[in-house]
Amino acid sequence: MRKYGWEIALAVLLTIAIVIVTNNHLNRRHDDVAQNNNQEKKTPPPPLAKEKKENAKNVLIGREMPLKDQWMIANEKKEAGALDEALDIYRDFVKDSDPVTRFQAVANIRWIWKKQGKWEEVISICRSHEFNWALAWELATCPINELRDGKEALRLAEKEVAADPEHPYSIDILAAAYAETGDFVRAVKTEEEALRKLIYIAGPQGNFQGHKKEFQERLALYQAGKPYRQNVK
């Protein structure tokens, strides 16, 4: 037994040394990984990634920051009453290839022109961009008698509802077109359907309470045998 005592002792020492070296190596590896993870957490995302994240909540998804700034400037000018300045900016966005951006630009231009009493221009831009549901709405509800066309509004509105029969706003426009042509029985029935679908989509306490009130006001007009007319203040 003594013969092999030193060999056993040496084996034990070697084993202990290997364990110590291995533990040190593992500890250093663990520290390196932890440090790398901390660096990754602290490293801010590149500007492009941050921009895309911000733009995801904006109409101008994927657009460059200067153009988004221009859109925000236009909105601020519109709210401040600098309508002509806002109009100049929105006109640039009308040429955009993105349909959502183009739609929003036209919607803002229509709003400005209505404020300015330029109803012919409102109808013209709807027609030129083939926004048929908007054109149907303007032809049915424009306050200028000479510019309304109930028959064309009805034809366009019927096509829109046929394409999307569950959309409450398309049905609301169809009701307005019926009222403009003097068919108040259908106008009432259609507006009631629009109101039901709006409540179904939003829920009784949904985010469309303002629109719900507008639908109810139009329904009351049709029940009284009166068409709806826009009143832009």
Side-chain angles (χ1 to χ4, degrees):
M1 192 73 178
R2 290 181 181 177
K3 179 179 179 180
Y4 300 101
W6 68 271
E7 294 178 348
I8 294 172
L10 180 61
V12 171
L13 289 174
L14 288 173
T15 301
I16 293 172
I18 291 170
V19 170
I20 292 172
V21 170
T22 302
N23 285 339
N24 288 340
H25 176 72
L26 290 175
N27 288 335
R28 284 198 301 271
R29 184 182 179 87
H30 179 270
D31 292 340
D32 291 341
V33 170
Q35 184 177 1
N36 289 336
N37 287 339
N38 289 334
Q39 288 178 348
E40 290 177 1
K41 291 178 181 178
K42 294 178 182 178
T43 302
L48 183 59
K50 289 179 67 178
E51 179 180 329
K52 286 184 178 179
K53 185 176 180 181
E54 291 174 0
N55 287 346
K57 299 179 181 179
N58 195 281
V59 173
L60 305 178
I61 296 174
R63 299 298 303 274
E64 295 179 2
M65 191 66 72
L67 290 176
K68 189 181 77 170
D69 286 346
Q70 286 298 311
W71 184 271
M72 299 305 295
I73 289 171
N75 288 344
E76 290 171 0
K77 288 185 177 297
K78 185 183 79 169
E79 293 174 4
L83 301 184
D84 288 330
E85 294 178 38
L87 188 62
D88 289 339
I89 300 174
Y90 287 132
R91 277 175 170 154
D92 290 335
F93 285 95
V94 169
K95 307 168 188 175
D96 198 278
S97 59
D98 176 44
V100 175
T101 301
R102 193 165 60 250
F103 165 77
Q104 292 288 347
V106 170
N108 280 292
I109 290 172
R110 286 168 57 209
W111 185 88
I112 290 173
W113 278 340
K114 288 179 184 181
K115 283 284 189 180
Q116 296 174 335
K118 299 179 179 179
W119 290 93
E120 288 187 28
E121 286 87 342
V122 171
I123 293 173
S124 177
I125 197 170
C126 292
R127 196 182 297 279
S128 64
H129 287 275
E130 298 182 351
F131 291 149
N132 290 333
W133 67 268
L135 178 58
W137 174 253
E138 303 301 348
L139 292 174
T141 64
C142 175
I144 308 300
N145 294 336
E146 295 78 9
L147 298 179
R148 288 194 307 276
D149 188 335
K151 290 183 179 180
E152 185 180 4
L154 184 58
R155 178 181 63 82
L156 293 170
E158 286 176 337
K159 288 180 65 176
E160 291 298 311
V161 172
D164 189 359
E166 299 301 316
H167 201 303
Y169 299 106
S170 296
I171 299 171
D172 175 54
I173 294 170
L174 179 59
Y178 278 133
E180 175 57 21
T181 58
D183 191 345
F184 291 103
V185 173
R186 286 188 178 180
V188 169
K189 182 179 178 181
T190 304
E191 192 64 44
E192 288 174 341
E193 182 183 358
L195 188 56
R196 282 195 301 271
K197 290 187 182 298
L198 181 70
I199 294 173
Y200 175 77
I201 290 173
Q205 304 299 325
N207 298 323
F208 299 94
Q209 294 303 307
H211 292 189
K212 177 182 174 182
K213 182 180 178 182
E214 292 174 3
F215 280 29
Q216 291 171 330
E217 290 174 350
R218 282 194 278 277
L219 177 59
L221 283 173
Y222 305 153
Q223 289 170 334
K226 298 177 181 180
Y228 173 75
R229 298 287 177 262
Q230 294 184 60
N231 182 21
V232 181
K233 299 179 181 179

